[in-house]
Amino acid sequence: PTPINGDAAAAATAETAKPTAGSAWNAAGTWEEKDVTAFAQQGLKAKLVGFQSVDVAGGALSADDVEAVDGDASKPVIRGKLRHMFDLSFKVKLTFKWMDSSGQRQAQGTVEVHDFTNDVFAEGALTPPEVRLSFGDARLLDAGRKQAVEQAIGVASWPPQPGSLMAQVADKMKAWAEEYQTAS
């Protein structure tokens, strides 16, 4: 071991006490927040595109690209540590098309995702978003077909069942959340 004099010990302590993130003016590393809402909304909207159709109940279930994302996002520095916080919501428009004796039919609906936060995919802290399905044209579907379509949408559980439309949405949400964590 090498003895350390008082000046070297003080310098080493001061160096380790500096916050690892934040602005120079915030040397104490208390609280500093950067609003990145527009960046987050645009990024998530750009990620929520290109959903594959799901074959179900003799028809095809498809989803449109997300038109808008609402909510807030920030990157605060708290006690010297950069955090990545967001609380976002969006709607996915659905269309189920099938053939019957009347010809081609279609029913439209919407899945609303609320409370998509930084904790949704956090390891050990699974906090599911609120996911609601509304099918305005559900009366066009017989009971068995309606049940099959709802299962193929995948809003009954979180994380959604593999192969469901919401599993595709969840994969894109997770990919965006990982990108958000690394973007400065």
Side-chain angles (χ1 to χ4, degrees):
T2 305
I4 299 177
N5 66 27
D7 292 336
T13 302
E15 189 63 33
T16 59
K18 286 183 182 177
T20 58
S23 300
W25 63 264
N26 190 7
T30 53
W31 179 281
E32 177 181 339
E33 187 167 7
K34 179 180 178 185
D35 182 7
V36 293
T37 298
F39 169 77
Q41 290 174 342
Q42 291 166 1
L44 182 57
K45 180 182 174 202
K47 187 61 86 176
L48 294 172
V49 297
F51 302 107
Q52 300 294 315
S53 293
V54 176
D55 292 333
V56 60
L61 175 65
S62 61
D64 295 337
D65 297 347
V66 170
E67 294 177 8
V69 174
D70 297 314
D72 301 302
S74 65
K75 294 205 176 218
V77 175
I78 304 169
R79 291 187 296 279
K81 184 176 179 190
L82 179 63
R83 312 293 169 107
H84 310 275
M85 303 170 86
F86 58 88
D87 185 354
L88 302 170
S89 61
F90 57 91
K91 293 179 185 178
V92 179
K93 292 182 182 178
L94 310 169
T95 303
F96 176 63
K97 294 180 181 179
W98 74 101
M99 295 290 288
D100 68 8
S101 59
S102 306
Q104 184 174 10
R105 310 280 307 256
Q106 79 176 25
Q108 296 183 333
T110 304
V111 173
E112 294 182 45
V113 178
H114 297 278
D115 300 328
F116 172 34
T117 68
N118 43 287
D119 292 331
V120 168
F121 298 108
E123 191 172 322
L126 185 66
T127 306
E130 181 182 336
V131 181
R132 284 183 271 166
L133 170 64
S134 60
F135 234 113
D137 299 329
R139 64 183 175 8
L140 299 174
L141 302 171
D142 61 62
R145 183 170 274 157
K146 180 180 177 190
Q147 183 179 12
V149 169
E150 288 176 352
Q151 185 175 359
I153 294 169
V155 297
S157 63
W158 191 267
Q161 291 295 319
S164 68
L165 195 57
M166 281 308 296
Q168 293 180 50
V169 173
D171 288 345
K172 291 176 185 283
M173 290 166 63
K174 185 174 184 177
W176 175 83
E178 290 169 354
E179 290 172 9
Y180 179 77
Q181 297 288 329
T182 59
S184 50

